Amino acid sequence: MSSVQEVFSSFNDYLTTDQDIREEIRNSVRILEQTAREIMTLLQAIHQREGLKQVPTICQKSKEKFESVKAAYADLAGKFPLQHYYRFHDHWRFVTQRLIFLAALTTYIESDTLITREETAKLFGIEVEKGSGFILDLEDYLHGVLLLSNELSRLAVNSVTSGDYERPLKISSFLGEINTGFRLLNLKNDSLRKKFDSLKYDIKKVEEVVYDISIRGLMPERKIIKKELT
């Protein structure tokens, strides 16, 4: 029978190993956070007066930065046994959600479409199916998509300032589709539900922008359709 000291010695070995793994993970996550800041800095150019005219260049530079993201996730995946993914998931959850948002923003301003979970995973160099390796968690993807709405509501306002009166209408339609999609989901995650609630306020803000440019006669041929946000 093991002595008390032997039992606690084994616990200490376990905790030391666990702490070492977590420190290695934190080092990789810092690289992801730095890259996310760099991508965000690039994308902020769309809010400048001439920024929307530079969208192809901005998107190209953004996608080049995602090569560093792919390398960082590959490095991160080698820091721990992948069967323990959810044991360490909190370390990279928030930066992953932010990177999903940045990928979604890049795709939207380039093509007016929503990046899929599969396309995002491919961009990151990771998987979507559990058990196949380092995965892109579904809830993380949904969080990232919801982060997009606030940035697009800001873009709608700045587009008007730049003289682009068509873009707010496109953004309004796009966010309406996102809203409809989320209403199909049975959201039990409290943080997701709270973020989904904020989507409704962003939609309302964009609709106000669209309404304003409409009554000013800047888009007289367009009819504004209010969406019910109950």
Side-chain angles (χ1 to χ4, degrees), residues 66 69-70 73 96 99-100 103 115-129 132 134-137 141:
F66 274 103
V69 171
K70 187 180 293 186
Y73 275 115
T96 296
L99 285 165
I100 292 165
I115 192 170
T116 66
R117 183 184 173 203
E118 290 74 18
E119 290 169 339
T120 308
K122 183 177 181 181
L123 187 64
F124 292 0
I126 56 182
E127 308 292 337
V128 293
E129 296 296 331
S132 59
F134 197 101
I135 64 170
L136 182 65
D137 182 76
Y141 170 75

Side-chain angles (χ1 to χ4, degrees), residues 156-197:
V157 174
N158 291 331
S159 295
V160 174
T161 304
S162 300
D164 184 349
Y165 306 120
E166 184 74 14
R167 187 168 294 274
L169 187 62
K170 291 181 178 179
I171 291 174
S172 180
S173 177
F174 177 74
L175 291 183
E177 292 180 28
I178 297 293
N179 178 60
T180 300
F182 269 92
R183 287 182 178 278
L184 296 175
L185 304 178
N186 181 19
L187 297 178
K188 295 182 179 180
N189 182 299
D190 288 342
S191 59
L192 266 179
R193 288 189 63 85
K194 289 178 181 177
K195 275 198 172 69
F196 175 56
D197 288 340

Side-chain angles (χ1 to χ4, degrees), residues 73-178:
Y73 275 115
D75 179 66
L76 180 57
K79 301 297 186 183
F80 62 95
L82 291 176
Q83 64 267 30
H84 294 163
Y85 177 90
Y86 283 105
R87 177 178 163 198
F88 301 109
H89 179 224
D90 280 347
H91 285 287
W92 60 81
R93 171 185 293 167
F94 296 111
V95 69
T96 296
Q97 292 172 5
R98 187 161 182 79
L99 285 165
I100 292 165
F101 148 64
L102 294 171
L105 179 59
T106 300
T107 298
Y108 177 76
I109 63 174
E110 184 176 47
S111 63
D112 294 329
T113 60
L114 174 65
I115 192 170
T116 66
R117 183 184 173 203
E118 290 74 18
E119 290 169 339
T120 308
K122 183 177 181 181
L123 187 64
F124 292 0
I126 56 182
E127 308 292 337
V128 293
E129 296 296 331
K130 292 182 179 179
S132 59
F134 197 101
I135 64 170
L136 182 65
D137 182 76
L138 176 58
E139 288 188 2
D140 286 344
Y141 170 75
L142 295 174
H143 273 286
V145 170
L146 287 171
L147 287 172
L148 181 63
S149 68
N150 186 258
E151 195 71 17
L152 291 185
S153 68
R154 179 186 172 203
L155 180 60
V157 174
N158 291 331
S159 295
V160 174
T161 304
S162 300
D164 184 349
Y165 306 120
E166 184 74 14
R167 187 168 294 274
L169 187 62
K170 291 181 178 179
I171 291 174
S172 180
S173 177
F174 177 74
L175 291 183
E177 292 180 28
I178 297 293

Side-chain angles (χ1 to χ4, degrees), residues 24-36 38-39 64-80 82 92 95-96 99 123-126 134:
E24 289 293 319
I25 290 173
R26 281 191 285 267
N27 289 336
S28 294
V29 169
R30 289 188 192 104
I31 296 173
L32 285 170
E33 291 171 340
Q34 176 60 34
T35 306
E38 293 171 359
I39 296 172
E64 289 172 0
K65 285 289 184 181
F66 274 103
E67 290 300 315
S68 297
V69 171
K70 187 180 293 186
Y73 275 115
D75 179 66
L76 180 57
K79 301 297 186 183
F80 62 95
L82 291 176
W92 60 81
V95 69
T96 296
L99 285 165
L123 187 64
F124 292 0
I126 56 182
F134 197 101

